[in-house]
Each structure stands twice: as C-alpha cells, then as structure tokens.
Amino acid sequence: MSSDREVSMKTVPFSGKKADFVAWEEKFLAGAKRKGYKEVILGKVEIPKDDIVLFSSKDEDKERIKTRERNEFAYSDLILAIGTTTSSGKVAFNLIRNSKSDDYADGNAAVAFKNLRNKYMPRSAQTLSKLHKAFYQSKLKKRADPDVYIMYMEDMRARIEDVDTTMKMTDDHFMLHIIN
C-alpha cells in the first residue's frame, strides 16, 4: 500500500458527543484543506448533480468533475470519521447518511456537514443566551489554574462569535471580565 493511500485514509474520529464537536470540526476542516475539499464541504462550490453528464474531454467540465470527486472524498472521510459504537455516534452517522438523495446517490458532503453543524452547533437565540449566561456567570475559583480558566473563557468567547458574528467582543471587554 502506498503512503499516499495511507494518508488519504486517515480520518479524525468523532464520538458524536456535542462536547467534542468544536475540536473535531476544527481538526476535520484542517484535514479537509490539506486534502483539497474544504471549499466543497463548506458549500462554497456547487457540487454537480449525479444526472448531469460531464465529459473529461471538455475543458468546462474538468473542474466540475474534480468537484464531484472532491465531494466523494469528503463524504467518505466524513462517514469514516464517525464512531458508531455509541448511540450518539449513530445519530451523527445518520445525519451524514441522510445527505444521500436522488440528486446525490453517494451523498452530498456539504449537506452532511451542514447537518452536523446544525445538530452540534445550533445558531439560535436560545443557544446565544445560554452561552452569554455561562460566560458572564463564570468566575475563577480559588486554587484553580488561571491558564485553564482563561482558555475556557476564550473558548466561550469564540463560541459566542460562532453563533452570532455580530457579537464580536473586544479584547478590552474580554480582559475586563477576566480580571473582575
């Protein structure tokens, strides 16, 4: 087996647990960039439907053929990344598998990834409210490691910004909360 083949088969495992999603997503997207299908998985390029006949001899079809192939690799990596030994893993697996349709018999990686994001990183007002409450009620406990606390707070800040990009917190505002 060639080393290229071995590298392409490595996936970042996801447990299906909400607490693991943010780190898994970041790692998976880093791998997707290296493998050349990040734009496909984020839905930034249109994936040609299965019923569209493409010819490798036509210049205008060559890029669409590559996009279709990248979709297949992305879908494969997504489905292989999911552990199915737990019920939460089975839920994540089904979210990906549900991206299959008449238009995309082998799955649509962009739809699958969107399904995962909608499940594990909802962008609702309720989610934003919970994150704000957790952020502003958080206090450094006695004898706790300040570095761990600051890292936790930075993660909360990033999650708030992920839910609502208009909620960018200034560094000064962030530091005021940390030291108070």
Side-chain angles (χ1 to χ4, degrees):
M1 184 179 272
S2 75
S3 62
D4 288 342
R5 177 86 172 130
E6 290 173 22
V7 170
S8 68
M9 291 301 291
K10 288 184 182 177
T11 58
V12 179
F14 178 53
S15 65
K17 295 178 184 173
K18 195 172 197 171
D20 298 338
F21 185 76
V22 172
W24 174 81
E25 178 192 36
E26 195 69 28
K27 291 176 185 180
F28 191 85
L29 288 174
K33 183 173 179 127
R34 295 184 88 196
K35 293 177 182 181
Y37 58 73
K38 183 176 179 180
E39 300 296 313
V40 171
I41 210 160
L42 292 176
K44 293 183 178 180
V45 293
E46 184 179 344
I47 303 165
K49 295 179 180 177
D50 290 349
D51 63 351
I52 297 174
V53 178
L54 301 173
F55 298 98
S56 59
S57 59
K58 289 185 176 181
D59 288 339
E60 62 267 14
D61 284 353
K62 287 181 181 179
E63 189 59 36
R64 296 176 81 197
I65 290 169
K66 286 181 184 176
T67 300
R68 188 179 274 168
E69 290 170 354
R70 285 189 220 117
N71 177 61
E72 291 171 7
F73 286 126
Y75 181 85
S76 297
D77 280 353
L78 275 172
I79 208 78
L80 291 171
I82 307 301
T84 56
T85 57
T86 64
S87 58
S88 55
K90 290 175 184 174
V91 168
F93 181 85
N94 282 321
L95 289 170
I96 296 168
R97 193 175 69 177
N98 287 340
S99 72
K100 290 184 176 185
S101 65
D102 291 339
D103 291 334
Y104 302 99
D106 292 328
N108 182 320
V111 169
F113 199 70
K114 183 179 178 185
N115 290 347
L116 289 172
R117 279 184 156 177
N118 288 341
K119 168 74 176 166
Y120 298 104
M121 285 183 48
R123 288 168 164 39
S124 66
Q126 182 181 11
T127 301
L128 185 61
S129 177
K130 284 180 183 179
L131 289 170
H132 264 272
K133 184 177 180 181
F135 182 86
Y136 287 107
Q137 287 182 347
S138 181
K139 303 281 184 218
L140 176 63
K141 294 181 173 66
K142 291 182 181 182
R143 297 186 182 143
D145 184 351
D147 290 335
V148 172
Y149 174 72
I150 291 171
M151 183 182 68
Y152 169 76
M153 296 303 290
E154 286 174 342
D155 180 56
M156 292 296 292
R157 176 186 184 185
R159 289 175 60 199
I160 289 169
E161 290 174 2
D162 284 345
V163 172
D164 187 350
T165 56
T166 63
M167 301 292 287
K168 294 256 184 223
M169 189 180 301
T170 66
D171 290 340
D172 291 339
H173 180 100
F174 178 74
M175 290 310 296
L176 278 173
H177 182 71
I178 296 292
I179 59 177
N180 281 329

